[in-house]
Amino acid sequence: MVNKIFKRENLVNNAILFFAIFPLIPNNTKGLPVILLFLAVLLSNIKKHINWKWLLINSSLFLTYLISLSYTENFNIGLKKLETGLSILIIPIIFFGLIAQHSFNKTLKTKFFKFFIFSSFCFSAYSLFFIVTDTTTNYYSDWYTDKFRVIVTEMPFIGQHPIYASIFLSISVIFFVELIKNNSIKTKYVYILFTSVNVLLLLMIMSKGVVLGLLLSVFIGLLKNFRKSKFIIISLICVVISLLVFNTRVKEIFKAEMYSEINENFSTSIRVGIYKCAIKVIGEEFILGYGIGDSQRALNLCYSNYSNVLLKNRYNSHNQYLDIFIKTGFFGFFIFLYFLYMNFSKACKNENKLMIILLIFYCVLFLTENILVRQSGVILFFFLLSFLSSINKTNSTQIKTNGD
């Protein structure tokens, strides 16, 4: 009987660890880990308990989207976007509506970090194989990285948009730094190799906002322990300098012409035009926004009067804060900021340094990308937010794990 209970409860551990191979899961099945975790929790013997406060806070973005559906004109588009973002509701229901008093132990956390680093390494190795063996693509002599990005996107089975691939790789680096800081890796040099390969691919595909978020968050995380972490900090400074010197996608930020007219060959120039339109449409529907189904239409109308380049490609706002403002107005934007503030405050109160670093990382990403409009972004963000806040909570039971 005891073995049966243990096996049923261990389903939850295995479902958690399944999230660690997220970088290797094909895009059309990214929701599978959420489904498996939900079923595992229902089948487990963990005491079911609802923490209404955090359930409402962490699902508040979905609720604002749901409200905006009532006044959006493109109702069907709104429904599809709600379906894509369903994890914003389901994941908080799992962690704060079903197992709110439960705490996962640190052994499981360490396992998760190691598996995530390894799965990211497998993604990197797979990507580099296609990059190295490619014979049809002509690469630019000044290491302009769009060609690498195209290959990563179009790889068979696990091809991934460069932004989300960069997020996976960056999080693996953050996990590596966390393991090194806590002396949690016995085979340290193996994971140094894994992380080096991940960093190599990260620099090759060069998503500027993601790399900036990684450098800033890791730098802040290490600053208090400068003496112990000076090698990593110096390495980060060297990476920044090399990017400024060698990488075209980074150097374009400092060109004045990027901000005067739209040039479709440069992402910085395109973003400037997008942000101008985004701010314009926000001003026209400031309080409630356009609704979850009409945000893109509002942007397209502005593009039609501003730039054929932007209209042709139907760019989204490329800024999560602006995206939420366009969809739900100041009402939803304020709720989203409150959600971030409460989680940051909770992490500070619990001295959860890793959560603080990850929140800083994502808050920087939100400035340059709509991370929460695809399952690759929304699932991982809300899972990490929930899982890492459920490790070693006080006055709670723990699932045992089968060693490290």
Side-chain angles (χ1 to χ4, degrees), residues 276-289:
K276 287 179 179 179
C277 267
I279 293 171
K280 182 177 183 297
V281 300
I282 284 173
E284 294 172 356
E285 291 289 346
F286 185 80
I287 302 300
L288 294 177

Side-chain angles (χ1 to χ4, degrees), residues 40-52:
V41 168
L42 291 180
L43 292 172
S44 74
N45 290 302
I46 300 174
K47 182 180 178 181
K48 307 300 184 289
H49 176 78
I50 299 177
N51 184 331
W52 286 106

Side-chain angles (χ1 to χ4, degrees), residues 113-381:
F113 290 175
K114 290 179 178 180
F115 287 0
F116 194 94
I117 293 170
F118 179 69
S119 67
S120 298
F121 164 75
C122 291
F123 179 88
S124 296
Y126 187 71
S127 303
L128 290 171
F129 170 79
F130 282 96
I131 289 173
V132 171
T133 59
D134 174 59
T135 58
T136 60
T137 304
N138 294 317
Y139 295 94
Y140 290 98
S141 59
D142 58 355
W143 196 29
Y144 193 75
T145 56
D146 274 359
K147 302 300 181 179
F148 300 138
R149 294 163 67 88
V150 170
I151 290 175
V152 170
T153 302
E154 297 180 350
M155 290 186 307
F157 305 115
I158 59 171
Q160 186 64 252
H161 189 289
I163 297 296
Y164 299 95
S166 298
I167 291 174
F168 303 155
L169 298 172
S170 296
I171 290 175
S172 75
V173 173
I174 292 173
F175 288 166
F176 170 75
V177 173
E178 181 72 10
L179 291 174
I180 289 292
K181 281 170 55 182
N182 297 327
N183 296 315
S184 300
I185 305 180
K186 294 179 181 178
T187 54
K188 180 167 61 174
Y189 293 105
V190 173
Y191 284 91
I192 289 175
L193 172 64
F194 292 164
T195 302
S196 298
V197 174
N198 291 341
V199 170
L200 174 63
L201 181 62
L202 179 64
L203 295 179
M204 289 175 72
I205 58 180
M206 186 44 63
S207 296
K208 299 188 291 293
V210 181
V211 173
L212 175 62
L214 173 63
L215 293 173
L216 182 62
S217 58
V218 171
F219 181 78
I220 292 173
L222 295 174
L223 202 55
K224 288 187 177 181
N225 300 310
F226 179 78
R227 289 185 178 180
K228 294 182 179 180
S229 310
K230 58 184 178 182
F231 174 75
I232 300 178
I233 292 176
I234 292 172
S235 299
L236 291 176
I237 294 173
C238 291
V239 168
V240 172
I241 293 173
S242 65
L243 291 177
L244 293 176
V245 173
F246 296 110
N247 193 272
T248 304
R249 289 179 59 83
V250 175
K251 289 194 292 185
E252 71 181 48
I253 298 174
F254 303 98
K255 295 181 179 179
E257 59 266 29
M258 296 296 103
Y259 306 93
S260 57
E261 60 182 28
I262 295 177
N263 186 328
E264 62 181 329
N265 295 315
F266 298 100
S267 61
T268 301
S269 176
I270 290 172
R271 272 180 167 77
V272 171
I274 292 171
Y275 295 156
K276 287 179 179 179
C277 267
I279 293 171
K280 182 177 183 297
V281 300
I282 284 173
E284 294 172 356
E285 291 289 346
F286 185 80
I287 302 300
L288 294 177
Y290 295 83
I292 189 171
D294 290 315
S295 58
Q296 191 59 53
R297 187 183 68 168
L299 285 172
N300 291 342
L301 287 173
C302 179
Y303 295 158
S304 65
N305 296 319
Y306 184 58
S307 168
N308 289 330
V309 172
L310 300 180
L311 181 62
K312 178 181 67 175
N313 292 283
R314 298 173 60 86
Y315 290 107
N316 63 34
S317 64
H318 280 70
N319 181 302
Q320 191 62 62
Y321 305 107
L322 295 179
D323 178 66
I324 291 172
F325 217 132
I326 294 170
K327 290 174 179 173
T328 62
F330 179 77
F331 167 73
F333 176 69
F334 175 81
I335 289 177
F336 183 63
L337 291 184
Y338 179 74
F339 151 76
L340 292 174
Y341 166 77
M342 289 298 292
N343 278 278
F344 189 81
S345 178
K346 181 182 181 182
C348 291
K349 182 179 179 181
N350 295 335
E351 297 183 350
N352 192 336
K353 295 179 182 178
L354 179 59
M355 269 305 308
I356 294 172
I357 290 172
L358 281 172
L359 281 168
I360 292 172
F361 172 67
Y362 270 102
C363 285
V364 174
L365 296 194
F366 292 159
L367 290 169
T368 59
E369 297 295 338
N370 292 6
I371 302 300
L372 305 182
V373 300
R374 294 193 188 194
Q375 286 193 329
S376 295
V378 70
I379 291 175
L380 191 59
F381 173 68

Side-chain angles (χ1 to χ4, degrees), residues 78-120:
L79 279 179
K80 289 180 180 179
K81 291 185 177 181
L82 275 181
E83 181 183 355
T84 301
L86 196 57
S87 297
I88 303 173
L89 177 64
I90 300 299
I91 293 176
I93 285 176
I94 293 171
F95 285 95
F96 303 105
L98 294 177
I99 54 173
Q101 289 184 324
H102 177 73
S103 174
F104 298 98
N105 63 35
K106 292 182 178 179
T107 302
L108 181 65
K109 180 184 75 170
T110 300
K111 273 189 174 183
F112 180 85
F113 290 175
K114 290 179 178 180
F115 287 0
F116 194 94
I117 293 170
F118 179 69
S119 67
S120 298

